[in-house]
Amino acid sequence: MTETLTIGTYTDDDTAALRNGFQAHGIAGPDDIAAVDASLRATVRAVAFKGHKSFGAAEMDLLPKLGLIANYGVGYDAIDVAAATARGIKVTNTPDVLNDDVADLAVAMLLMQGRETIQASDWARSGQWAQKGEYRLNRKMSGGKVGILGLGRIGREIANRLVGFKMDIHYHSRQEKQTPGWTWHADPVSLAQSVDFLFVALVGGTATEGYVSRAVIDALGPRGVIVNISRGSTVDEGALLDALESGRIAGAGLDVFRNEPKIDPRFYALPNVVIQPHQGSGTVETRIEMAALQRRNVAAFLAGKALETPVN
């Protein structure tokens, strides 16, 4: 009897592990639940979920015995956790195992933007170094003032790395946190006014929708750079594009976008923006750990044991 449904696109190894471990039945997305035979839906107790399409109350109600949604990823804003809680459905995610990779990419995007590494590489590869000489001077990164918007697990890892770059660390969170002398700001506008570089490390969801507003972007100023590794929804994307195009901020490093992967084509015309394809956790090692943690949560639930990383 199949008690586990997988939703999303998994690697061959992960698919095999889910099938071998749980006799899981797989579908592409939440919209496909309704097409699953009713007799199979009636047996599903756990869902291994991967993706960013909405998994809401209507989808949950199609699975009458559902007790667990095990999310692949630290962000779970695609899942209606309130609806799950109201139905007695537990939700888990995969925190911590991806912190290092996401923080590494965040810092890399700042360096790529300021030191213009993509453009400089193109300069050398195209033969212009040999034909025209040295690449133009760019911007020093070390020793600047940096703001972390959201000092959670990943935000703190970013800050820890930037200490090594002799950065003056500022941050905004709901409450002041214990830090090694970093400066807390009660609101995001104050944070943006005080720094050169702003990292967005917020959780996704309605509470942070457009948190990086036009006012925050304008407060950053013409030397400011935004790096976003959270969710595209956390930034007012129209305001960001306007500021980038007009030179009201210096640039951005973005791993996440609204409507990804079909991002606004205005970004492609901007040489001052580093674009990445939402690959913050995208290393072989970390994705193996994320999948293993997801499966451990499924196994624990089906065995009646404590969940390893519960959300609700």
Side-chain angles (χ1 to χ4, degrees):
M1 181 176 68
T2 297
E3 293 186 301
T4 303
L5 180 68
T6 70
I7 298 178
T9 302
Y10 288 84
T11 66
D12 290 343
D13 287 345
D14 290 340
T15 297
L18 288 161
R19 287 177 178 168
N20 293 337
F22 309 107
Q23 297 181 323
H25 175 81
I27 59 175
D31 293 344
D32 299 313
I33 296 175
V36 176
D37 187 84
S39 62
L40 192 153
R41 286 192 278 112
T43 67
V44 172
R45 297 176 56 212
V47 165
F49 181 67
K50 180 180 180 181
H52 301 292
K53 292 185 178 180
S54 177
F55 192 163
E59 291 75 26
M60 296 175 198
D61 289 341
L62 292 169
L63 303 168
K65 290 187 178 180
L66 184 61
L68 173 72
I69 302 171
N71 187 59
Y72 178 101
V74 65
Y76 48 85
D77 44 299
I79 301 169
D80 188 335
V81 176
T85 302
R87 288 160 175 76
I89 300 168
K90 300 297 290 184
V91 177
T92 61
N93 65 341
T94 60
D96 295 322
V97 295
L98 48 69
N99 295 353
D100 284 337
D101 278 343
V102 176
D104 287 350
L105 184 66
V107 175
M109 286 195 293
L110 178 65
L111 295 173
M112 291 165 71
Q113 198 285 328
R115 296 305 306 270
E116 300 183 359
T117 56
I118 295 173
Q119 297 94 322
S121 178
D122 290 343
W123 182 266
R125 287 175 177 273
S126 65
Q128 293 185 81
W129 184 18
Q131 297 167 7
K132 300 180 181 180
E134 294 181 352
Y135 184 72
R136 69 185 184 190
L137 299 181
N138 41 62
R139 184 174 182 181
K140 182 178 180 178
M141 298 282 98
S142 293
K145 292 183 178 180
V146 64
I148 312 293
L149 194 55
L151 198 70
R153 295 181 179 96
I154 293 173
R156 190 172 285 267
E157 288 292 346
I158 294 170
N160 287 339
R161 282 157 173 74
L162 293 173
V163 168
F165 287 87
K166 305 172 185 176
M167 296 281 196
D168 178 12
I169 309 295
H170 297 241
Y171 71 98
H172 165 68
S173 58
R174 285 175 292 183
Q175 295 179 332
E176 189 170 3
K177 300 191 176 186
Q178 187 172 3
T179 68
W182 303 343
T183 303
W184 177 65
H185 295 260
D187 67 89
V189 171
S190 170
L191 176 67
Q193 287 174 332
S194 303
V195 300
D196 308 306
F197 314 118
L198 181 66
F199 285 80
V200 186
L202 299 163
V203 297
T206 55
T208 58
E209 178 86 19
Y211 204 82
V212 182
S213 63
R214 186 176 296 272
V216 172
I217 295 166
D218 286 343
L220 194 56
R223 292 275 291 167
V225 174
I226 291 177
V227 176
N228 188 9
I229 47 77
S230 59
R231 286 288 189 265
S233 61
T234 61
V235 176
D236 182 334
E237 199 165 270
L240 176 60
L241 281 162
D242 290 344
L244 289 164
E245 290 170 343
S246 65
R248 298 202 317 277
I249 64 171
L254 306 172
D255 187 43
V256 290
F257 303 84
R258 289 184 179 271
N259 305 315
E260 59 187 46
K262 297 180 180 179
I263 71 174
D264 193 314
R266 291 166 65 189
F267 282 114
Y268 298 136
L270 293 167
N272 56 340
V273 178
V274 172
I275 295 173
Q276 294 289 286
H278 199 156
Q279 60 122 2
S281 64
T283 66
V284 171
E285 296 84 355
T286 288
R287 292 292 174 87
I288 287 172
E289 290 187 39
M290 289 168 62
L293 177 52
Q294 182 187 47
R295 292 194 298 271
R296 290 199 302 273
N297 276 312
V298 172
F301 173 78
L302 294 176
K305 298 179 180 179
L307 299 171
E308 193 166 333
T309 51
V311 170
N312 60 348

